[in-house]
Amino acid sequence: MADVLVVGAGPVGLTLACELARHGARCRIIDRAPRPLPYCRAIGVTPRTLEVWDDMGIAREMIDAGLWLTGLRSIVQGRPPTDAPNPALDLPFAALGLPQYETERVLARHLDRHGVRIERGSALTALRQDPDGVAVRIEGEDGTAQEDRFRYVVGCDGAHSAVRRLLGIAFDGAAYPWPFMLGDVRIGWDVPYGMSVRALRLVEGGPPDMFVAIPLPEPGRYRVSMLAPAALVPSAGTEHGIQAELRGPSLADLQAVADDLLPDRPRLADLRWSSVYRISMRLASAYGQGRCFIAGDAAHIHPPTGGQGMNTGIQDAYNLAWKLALVLRGAGAPSLLDSYDAERRPVGADVVARTRAASEGYGRERTGTPDRLADTQILVSYRGTPWVRDDAASQDGGPAAGDRAPDAVGLMRQGCGFPLRLFDVLRGTEHVLIVHLPQDGAPETIADLSRWAQQHASHRRGCLRVVAVTTPAAHRAVPGVALLEDPSGAFAAAYGPEPMSYLVRPDGHLGWRGRSWREAGLQEHLQSLLLAA
């Protein structure tokens, strides 16, 4: 019997299934759609999501399938056009453009490598929980039904989530009264490859008239979006997302908006698909109930401004998967699962608020362009939540407990004739204790750390590794510790020059920070998190 049923095979459900499998948990994944949808809904991939995919081992495949988003051309009526390149940020990755169907293709292929097959045309129609598991009913396209049982169920099944509905979790919020239309078209204009375009006419007391074109990897192709005319959208229809039951706009409908807002009236051609799209802003009252959880659009929906939706959902799944896997293995305290709601629901609330504000102020930004830094998602932190602990809260500089662990390049390890990234060392499914010893890399200190590592890591069921960033004099191999040198000072620049220890979780956030691995706080944190063998 599988441990976890994942409901929904979009980017969020696929990420969750891949990560459960990588962490050693058994899962099934179902989706009511008989085949993947062709719509290019989500496109923008944030730098933080690329870090997630890097850890999963699929970043290169995603990058090869996409294109780098290089900047934004803004054409606001009454103002001269402006080109704003995306700022050069000191991050491992830039923002990537990748159609959602390509994201799903790469994730599905990666999941297949783990031996897990998507069960399409299968819908969850009932569930019942008890203290030991969840009984479910799954119906196929032909009307046949099967009863099965899982230890956990996770709904990654979108805005109209069956899991959320069956659990009775409230999904309060409001809908935008203005529908939009989307299309995948070729545009005949002279715009640099990778640059997005938005043309706006500001309207007092309402949304601007708009034509937004996001580039696709195929040269000359764009996913365009704009307000939909009333004639295309009757009052009936589902509340959020693509209105599959409605006729999509014609090429002429899209061209009319382009002619109205784009000065040179470029020709649109080769319409591959189009649809009408509605937008709501809602946040689930809880991200879980008992042995059931929700993630992605099942938990939060909001305007697409800034490309936050899919990325936030992927990171929901990345946060939940390692926790579920630890508990399923008997290596994590069951109460660890409470941290999913405590950490991710505030993130969802913030995204809903920020995207709403950005949408309502669209075209009226002080700088003339959207806020790029906030949209990278690297600033997401779990500071102050119950499942992170900071025993060096007064320390200036470096990341705090709850923050994303930054990368550092140019690290050297004995036996490796090439420099390493810190992310190379962190990649994997374990917690990693990083001990920074910039002044005290003496052999007796390293030997002491080695004894600590052998004792504590062996008691943590393979869930803990130890890394020391030391002086060159300490680079003599010892059991249980990976010794790294920081010749360029990149680690010290990212984490601070003082001695410090950090516990990095499998999702790349710091679960604990202290001045020494010898502190009682580390042991107490590990005892609350990982069960000894």
Side-chain angles (χ1 to χ4, degrees), residues 87-360:
L89 302 174
D90 186 18
L91 298 173
F93 299 102
L96 185 73
L98 186 66
Q100 183 169 327
Y101 49 77
E102 284 291 274
T103 298
E104 293 178 3
R105 178 186 64 81
V106 174
L107 284 167
R109 184 169 64 186
H110 188 59
L111 183 61
D112 187 65
R113 297 185 191 120
H114 288 293
V116 180
R117 180 180 60 87
I118 303 168
E119 300 174 36
R120 295 201 172 275
S122 300
L124 177 75
T125 58
L127 63 79
R128 185 182 68 258
Q129 298 191 65
D130 59 51
D132 299 317
V134 187
V136 304
R137 178 182 175 87
I138 300 172
E139 294 187 3
E141 284 185 289
D142 58 1
T144 59
Q146 59 173 296
E147 307 283 338
D148 209 338
R149 186 172 175 82
F150 301 87
R151 293 178 65 183
Y152 296 96
V153 171
V154 185
C156 306
D157 46 346
H160 310 290
S161 169
V163 174
R164 188 190 65 240
R165 176 178 53 81
L166 290 167
L167 293 173
I169 294 175
F171 201 41
D172 295 331
Y176 267 129
W178 313 289
F180 293 77
M181 56 186 184
L182 309 175
D184 179 339
V185 297
R186 184 178 294 278
I187 304 180
W189 59 12
D190 184 19
V191 173
Y193 186 65
M195 178 167 279
S196 302
V197 175
R198 65 172 186 173
L200 306 172
R201 180 190 298 118
L202 302 182
V203 176
E204 189 68 30
D209 296 326
M210 66 181 72
F211 180 93
V212 179
I214 309 297
L216 301 177
E218 182 183 333
R221 293 204 73 87
Y222 294 81
R223 202 287 307 275
V224 298
S225 59
M226 62 210 76
L227 292 172
L232 277 180
V233 191
S235 57
T238 53
E239 188 177 84
H240 182 85
I242 287 176
Q243 310 294 287
E245 74 279 8
L246 299 180
R247 177 182 66 85
S250 68
L251 186 62
D253 293 324
L254 304 177
Q255 184 72 61
V257 179
D259 289 346
D260 182 40
L261 296 176
L262 293 169
D264 295 334
R265 296 190 172 188
R267 179 172 175 269
L268 276 56
D270 191 15
L271 178 65
R272 285 187 178 165
W273 64 263
S274 66
S275 67
V276 175
Y277 193 85
R278 294 182 189 267
I279 295 173
S280 295
M281 298 151 291
R282 299 186 182 275
L283 180 69
S285 60
Y287 276 24
Q289 184 184 103
R291 290 179 167 267
C292 299
F293 302 89
I294 54 176
D297 283 359
H300 45 79
I301 53 175
H302 42 80
T305 311
Q308 302 291 286
M310 178 192 73
N311 293 279
T312 301
I314 285 172
Q315 290 158 51
D316 290 342
Y318 189 57
N319 180 285
L320 179 59
W322 68 268
K323 298 171 181 178
L324 273 174
L326 275 180
V327 173
L328 286 165
R329 288 168 52 192
S335 56
L336 173 61
L337 298 179
D338 296 338
S339 69
Y340 172 61
D341 181 278
E343 292 178 350
R344 293 304 300 175
R345 191 169 180 276
V347 173
D350 177 70
V351 169
V352 172
R354 284 197 303 106
T355 55
R356 177 172 186 166
S359 296
E360 292 173 352

Side-chain angles (χ1 to χ4, degrees), residues 333 335-336 386-391 431 433 452 456 460 464 503 511-513 516-532:
S335 56
L336 173 61
W387 285 89
V388 300
R389 175 168 174 162
D390 202 326
D391 289 332
H431 284 72
L433 177 65
W452 187 97
H456 290 83
R460 302 297 174 189
L464 177 65
L503 184 68
W512 172 87
R513 179 177 73 155
S516 171
W517 81 91
R518 300 183 178 97
E519 292 184 12
L522 173 59
Q523 185 62 22
E524 292 169 4
H525 180 72
L526 288 172
Q527 287 173 348
S528 70
L529 179 72
L530 302 174
L531 301 178

